[in-house]
Amino acid sequence: MDIIRKDNGKRGVFMALEDDSQMGEMTYAWLNDNLIIIDHTGVHPTYEGQGVGKRLFLEAIAFARQSNIRIIPSCSFVKVMFKRMPETHDVLPDKQGD
């Protein structure tokens, strides 16, 4: 599985791909130069239960850390992942992980 990111400066998407098939996606919007809001995660039914959503989430975390930005979770899946993985709270805006 490959994860690619496309971004037009206002909105972006992480896409999970295998061969020519899109397995899932995670979309986000820029609120400012240092803050994104993840608003949707979707996994194609064929690939559910295979960790695609988690891989997309971890890629978003890596991107945030590398780019020194913060993530506001709007998507219910991302909110759950942050609760399950407190080690990722460093990319939340202050007090979001409490």
Side-chain angles (χ1 to χ4, degrees):
M1 172 187 338
D2 294 315
I3 308 291
I4 63 167
R5 184 178 68 87
K6 294 184 178 182
D7 192 311
N8 68 11
K10 294 181 182 181
R11 294 198 53 80
V13 61
F14 293 93
M15 292 184 289
L17 305 171
E18 187 167 79
D19 299 322
D20 291 330
S21 298
Q22 184 172 330
M23 303 168 74
E25 68 177 14
M26 178 176 286
T27 61
Y28 62 91
W30 287 94
L31 297 180
N32 61 44
D33 290 343
N34 304 312
L35 190 63
I36 61 171
I37 182 167
I38 296 178
D39 52 16
H40 170 74
T41 304
V43 175
H44 190 280
T46 303
Y47 302 105
E48 288 179 356
Q50 296 181 30
V52 175
K54 184 175 181 180
R55 286 278 309 273
L56 291 165
F57 175 75
L58 292 173
E59 189 69 24
I61 298 300
F63 168 68
R65 288 174 175 157
Q66 180 181 8
S67 303
N68 198 29
I69 62 171
R70 299 290 178 251
I71 296 173
I72 294 176
S74 174
C75 165
S76 58
F77 173 78
V78 173
K79 288 178 181 180
V80 168
M81 292 304 294
F82 272 117
K83 286 183 182 177
R84 289 183 183 168
M85 301 181 72
E87 66 273 19
T88 63
H89 288 187
D90 60 301
V91 301
L92 291 170
D94 293 339
K95 305 297 180 189
Q96 286 280 317
D98 294 337

